[in-house]
C-alpha cells in the first residue's frame, strides 16, 4: 500500500515526507516538523491532494512574483466547491472578471478623501462605544469587528450597520467560526474524502450548517439593498454587480450570477473583516503589553495632531505609528499561509516540476521570520522599520498582503483603516490590562491567526 501511496507524488515533484496510507501527510500540518524554514520548497500529500509548500521570501517571490501568471489560480477543493457551489470570486475558474469588478468598486467607492471621511466617521462611533465602558475591563473583539466590518459594508451596501444589529453580528460570528473551522483537521479530511458529507457528525457538518445560514442571510440583505436600484447608476458593489449581470445576460460564458453575487459579497465581507479586525486586536494587545511603545505612539500622535482628528496627509508624518502597525503585521501574521493557490499550467521551480492544478501553500509566516532578511525576528521591535533619523523604512521581505496577481485587493483600504482606528483610539485612550491579568500571546489557529479573547481597560487620556 505504501508503494502505491508513494506513487501519488508526480515525477520531478519537490520532495517531502513519506505519506501515510489514505491520509498522506495531513498530520504533519499540525506536527509542523516539516515546515522548517530551511526547506524552501517541499511537498505534502494532503490525503491524495499533492501540495507544494513555499517557505521563505526567496522561494515565494520566485513563484508569486516572477511566475505570477502561473501561480495565480486557486485550488478547487471539495470543501469550497460544496460551500460555494463552485461560485465566489476567490475560488472560481473565471476569477478575472470578478476580480476586475471588485478592484474597480474598491477604487470607486472605497478610496480617496471621501472614504477617508467615512472611516473617520466610523471611528467616532467606535470611540463612543469604547467610552461607554468607562475605563472598566471589556473584551474589544465585538466592537472592533462591528466597526471594521462597517467599512466594507459601506462599499458593498453603501451603508453601515448599527452596533446592536444582532442579525448582522450573528452572521459575522458564524462566518468567522467557519474561517477557523476551514483550517481544522476535519476540513482537510473532507477534502481528501468528500464522501464524509454523509458522516452525520464532525466539524465539517458545522461548517456546512454555518455556510447555509450565511447564504440565507446574505440573500435577504442583498435583496433589501437592491430594491431601490437605478440601473447603470451604481451606488455600491451590489448595484455594480447587478449592472454587470444584466449586461452579460446573453453571454453564455459569463460567471456573473445571483449565486456568485452572494458568494462574492460573503467573500469580501469576511476577507475585509476577519483580517483587519485581528490586526487591530493584536495591536491593542501589544500596546497594553508594552506601555513604553504605547507612550511613544501617543507622543507622536499628540505632537503631530495637537488634539485635532487625523487627516489623510498625517499618515506620512507619523513614522512611529507606521512602524508599530508594520511590526504588528509582521509579527502577528494574521494570514499565516496566505490563501491557497494553484498552478494554472505546468511550472518548473528550482529544477522541480510542478504540474498544472497543483495546490500551493505560501507560508507567509516564514517570510516574516526569515533570518536572511530580519535580525532577531522573534522580538517585537517597531524600530526595525525606522532608520537612524527616525524615518520610516520599507522592508523587502514584508508580505502580509502577499504578492503577485492574486495579492490582497483590500490592501490600501486595510492600511487606511488600521491607521485611522489605531490613531484615533490611542489619541483618546490609554490602554492597559486589568490588574493581575496576563494575556496569552499564543494565537488561536485557523485560516487567520487571532489573539485569544482578552479584557482591556480604555482609560480616557488628559490632553
Ligand atoms: C486576499 C491579507 C484586508 C480583500 C488576501 C491574501 C492575503 C490578505 C495574504 C491572499 C493573497 C494571495 O493569495 O496571494 C490581508 C490582510 C489584511 C487584509 C493582512 C488586513 C490587515 C483586506 C480587506 C479587504 C480584503 C480590508 C477588502 C474587503 C481580499 C480579497 C482577497 C484577499 C477579496 C482575495 C483576492 C483574490 O483572490 O484575488 N488578503 N487582507 N483584504 N483580500 Fe485581503
Amino acid at each position: 500500500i505504501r508503494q502505491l501511496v508513494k506513487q501519488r507524488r508526480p515525477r520531478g515533484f519537490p520532495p517531502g515526507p513519506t505519506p501515510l496510507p489514505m491520509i498522506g501527510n495531513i498530520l504533519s500540518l499540525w506536527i509542523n516538523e516539516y515546515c522548517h524554514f530551511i526547506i524552501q520548497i517541499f511537498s505534502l500529500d494532503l490525503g491524495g491532494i499533492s501540495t507544494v509548500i513555499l517557505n521563505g521570501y526567496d522561494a515565494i517571490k520566485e513563484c508569486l512574483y516572477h511566475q505570477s501568471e502561473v501561480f495565480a489560480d486557486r485550488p478547487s477543493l471539495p470543501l469550497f466547491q460544496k460551500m460555494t457551489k463552485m461560485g465566489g470570486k476567490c475560488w472560481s475558474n473565471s476569477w478575472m472578471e470578478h476580480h476586475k469588478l471588485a478592484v474597480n468598486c474598491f477604487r470607486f467607492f472605497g478610496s480617496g478623501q471621501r472614504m477617508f471621511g467615512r472611516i473617520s466617521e466610523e471611528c467616532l462611533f467606535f470611540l463612543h462605544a469604547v467610552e461607554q465602558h468607562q475605563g472598566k475591563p471589556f473584551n474589544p473583539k465585538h466592537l472592533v469587528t462591528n466597526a471594521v466590518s462597517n467599512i466594507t459594508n459601506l462599499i458593498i451596501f453603501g451603508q453601515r450597520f448599527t452596533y446592536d444589529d444582532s442579525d448582522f453580528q450573528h452572521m459575522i460570528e458564524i462566518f468567522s467560526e467557519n474561517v477557523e473551522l476551514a483550517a481544522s483537521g476535519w476540513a482537510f479530511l473532507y477534502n481528501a474524502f468528500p464522501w464524509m458529507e454523509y458522516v452525520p457528525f464532525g466539524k465539517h457538518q458545522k461548517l456546512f450548517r454555518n455556510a447555509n445560514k450565511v447564504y440565507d442571510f446574505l440573500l435577504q440583505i442583498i435583496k433589501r439593498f437592491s430594491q431601490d436600484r437605478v440601473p447603470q447608476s451604481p451606488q455600491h458593489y451590489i448595484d455594480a454587480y447587478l449592472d454587470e449581470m444584466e449586461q452579460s445576460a446573453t453571454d453564455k460564458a459569463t460567471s456573473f450570477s445571483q449565486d456568485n453575487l452572494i458568494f462574492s459579497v460573503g467573500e469580501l465581507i469576511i476577507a475585509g473583516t476577519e483580517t483587519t479586525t485581528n490586526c487591530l486586536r493584536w495591536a491593542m494587545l501589544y500596546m497594553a503589553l508594552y506601555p513604553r511603545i504605547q507612550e511613544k505612539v501617543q507622543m507622536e500622535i499628540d505632537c503631530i495632531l495637537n488634539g485635532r482628528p487625523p487627516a489623510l496627509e498625517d499618515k506620512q508624518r507619523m513614522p512611529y505609528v507606521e512602524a508599530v502597525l508594520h511590526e504588528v503585521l509582521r509579527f502577528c501574521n494574521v494570514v499565516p499561509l496566505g490563501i491557497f493557490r494553484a498552478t494554472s499550467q505546468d511550472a518548473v521551480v528550482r529544477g522541480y516540476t510542478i504540474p498544472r492544478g497543483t495546490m500551493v501553500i505560501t507560508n507567509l509566516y516564514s517570510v516574516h521570520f526569515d533570518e536572511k532578511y530580519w535580525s532577531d525576528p522573534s522580538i517585537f521591535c517597531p524600530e526595525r522599520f525606522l532608520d537612524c533619523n527616525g524615518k520610516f523604512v520599507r522592508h523587502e521581505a514584508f508580505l502580509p498582503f502577499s504578492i503577485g496577481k492574486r495579492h490582497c485587493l483590500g490592501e490600501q483600504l486595510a492600511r487606511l483603516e488600521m491607521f485611522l482606528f489605531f490613531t484615533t483610539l490611542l489619541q483618546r485612550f490609554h490602554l492597559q490590562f486589568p490588574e493581575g491579568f496576563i494575556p496569552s500571546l499564543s494565537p488561536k489557529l485557523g485560516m487567520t491567526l487571532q489573539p485569544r479573547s482578552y479584557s482591556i481597560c480604555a482609560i480616557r487620556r488628559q490632553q
Side-chain angles (χ1 to χ4, degrees):
I1 289 173
R2 178 160 290 200
Q3 263 328 97
L4 277 175
V5 171
K6 264 189 166 174
Q7 281 168 9
R8 286 196 289 196
R9 188 167 281 143
R11 192 183 288 267
F13 208 54
T18 309
L20 291 170
M22 306 279 282
I23 60 168
N25 309 116
I26 288 185
L27 296 176
S28 356
L29 277 182
W30 286 273
I31 298 168
N32 215 24
E33 62 185 303
Y34 298 103
C35 295
H36 204 276
F37 305 159
I38 295 168
I39 310 171
Q40 297 201 341
I41 174 165
F42 66 96
S43 65
L44 291 177
D45 173 334
L46 300 180
I49 301 170
S50 299
T51 306
V52 168
I53 318 286
L54 301 174
N55 267 335
Y57 178 67
D58 295 338
I60 290 182
K61 188 177 174 195
E62 189 175 329
C63 297
L64 265 52
Y65 185 75
H66 292 298
Q67 301 196 51
S68 182
E69 293 279 349
V70 181
F71 285 84
D73 269 4
R74 302 278 183 211
S76 55
L77 295 172
L79 181 73
F80 291 103
Q81 281 175 15
K82 160 100 180 150
M83 288 200 311
T84 67
K85 300 174 196 154
M86 212 46 218
K89 186 191 68 57
C90 224
W91 309 102
S92 75
N93 296 329
S94 47
W95 61 274
M96 269 187 253
E97 54 185 5
H98 276 78
H99 187 88
K100 200 168 146 201
L101 176 68
V103 169
N104 285 342
C105 283
F106 271 72
R107 262 194 216 130
F108 192 69
F109 303 118
S111 62
Q113 198 64 48
R114 184 159 163 256
M115 194 59 194
F116 190 89
R118 299 184 88 175
I119 304 175
S120 303
E121 265 170 47
E122 191 63 43
C123 285
L124 294 180
F125 286 108
F126 176 62
L127 294 184
H128 178 72
V130 173
E131 188 96 64
Q132 303 304 303
H133 292 281
Q134 301 180 333
K136 299 203 180 76
F138 71 104
N139 178 352
K141 180 174 176 178
H142 295 295
L143 253 182
V144 178
T145 307
N146 287 336
V148 164
S149 65
N150 268 343
I151 308 306
T152 331
N153 291 338
L154 285 169
I155 298 173
I156 298 174
F157 307 110
Q159 208 172 299
R160 65 183 293 276
F161 292 83
T162 58
Y163 295 170
D164 56 7
D165 188 321
S166 52
D167 289 343
F168 184 79
Q169 273 177 17
H170 181 63
M171 187 276 289
I172 289 275
E173 212 166 284
I174 57 176
F175 208 155
S176 136
E177 187 180 16
N178 269 9
V179 175
E180 214 178 307
L181 291 173
S184 69
W186 283 96
F188 280 94
L189 280 175
Y190 177 83
N191 283 329
F193 313 113
W195 48 258
M196 274 181 53
E197 181 176 350
Y198 303 106
V199 177
F201 54 86
K203 286 186 178 166
H204 60 301
Q205 295 294 357
K206 177 98 187 149
L207 256 160
F208 301 147
R209 277 196 303 276
N210 282 353
N212 284 339
K213 284 187 201 159
V214 170
Y215 180 97
D216 291 343
F217 178 86
L218 291 178
L219 179 64
Q220 268 179 35
I221 50 170
I222 287 172
K223 273 192 190 145
R224 175 148 57 96
F225 283 97
S226 52
Q227 257 167 13
D228 304 323
R229 168 176 167 253
V230 179
Q232 301 307 321
S233 172
Q235 301 300 311
H236 43 64
Y237 178 78
I238 294 174
D239 282 354
Y241 194 103
L242 292 171
D243 282 347
E244 290 290 340
M245 229 171 100
E246 278 175 8
Q247 270 169 16
S248 56
T250 52
D251 177 2
K252 282 198 181 124
T254 183
S255 63
F256 291 116
S257 68
Q258 180 72 21
D259 261 351
N260 275 351
L261 167 60
I262 296 168
F263 296 123
S264 55
V265 164
E267 182 189 292
L268 289 172
I269 292 180
I270 206 65
T273 305
E274 186 76 7
T275 47
T276 318
T277 297
N278 288 339
C279 262
L280 282 166
R281 288 174 62 211
W282 280 117
M284 290 170 75
L285 186 150
Y286 275 98
M287 288 308 95
L289 192 69
Y290 297 124
R292 278 216 202 110
I293 297 182
Q294 182 177 177
E295 201 179 314
K296 281 168 101 174
V297 166
Q298 284 164 334
M299 267 167 60
E300 186 174 80
I301 292 175
D302 295 346
C303 168
I304 301 292
L305 301 184
N306 201 11
R308 66 169 169 80
L312 192 51
E313 312 73 64
D314 291 325
K315 206 162 171 285
Q316 281 93 46
R317 301 166 67 207
M318 296 165 86
Y320 195 71
V321 167
E322 280 293 273
V324 168
L325 291 175
H326 276 69
E327 184 64 346
V328 169
L329 282 165
R330 182 196 73 84
F331 196 73
C332 301
N333 287 293
V334 282
V335 194
L337 302 180
I339 301 179
F340 299 168
R341 300 271 192 123
T343 43
S344 60
Q345 59 192 71
D346 291 353
V348 177
V349 179
R350 298 186 182 193
Y352 297 119
T353 311
I354 306 176
R356 173 171 184 246
T358 303
M359 179 153 106
V360 178
I361 298 183
T362 53
N363 185 354
L364 299 179
Y365 184 99
S366 71
V367 175
H368 296 151
F369 282 75
D370 189 335
E371 290 190 348
K372 183 173 165 194
Y373 292 91
W374 304 97
S375 56
D376 297 327
S378 50
I379 294 173
F380 184 87
C381 172
E383 278 72 16
R384 67 175 82 246
F385 287 96
L386 297 173
D387 68 10
C388 53
N389 299 315
K391 280 216 172 97
F392 179 79
V393 278
R394 286 185 196 288
H395 275 268
E396 196 185 354
F398 178 73
L399 303 180
F401 300 97
S402 187
I403 39 168
K405 274 203 171 288
R406 299 300 285 272
H407 84 278
C408 175
L409 64 79
E411 175 172 350
Q412 296 315 322
L413 183 68
R415 286 175 181 275
L416 207 56
E417 284 180 52
M418 286 181 64
F419 169 73
L420 275 173
F421 280 113
F422 186 71
T423 309
T424 49
L425 181 70
L426 289 176
Q427 184 178 34
R428 185 164 313 171
F429 300 103
H430 172 74
L431 301 178
Q432 64 186 53
F433 291 123
E435 188 88 19
F437 178 81
I438 301 169
S440 165
L441 298 183
S442 73
K444 224 169 151 188
L445 300 182
M447 292 299 284
T448 58
L449 294 185
Q450 57 170 306
R452 289 169 198 280
S453 286
Y454 62 84
S455 288
I456 206 159
C457 305
I459 318 281
R460 180 103 197 204
R461 294 177 64 218
Q462 307 294 332
Q463 291 164 71

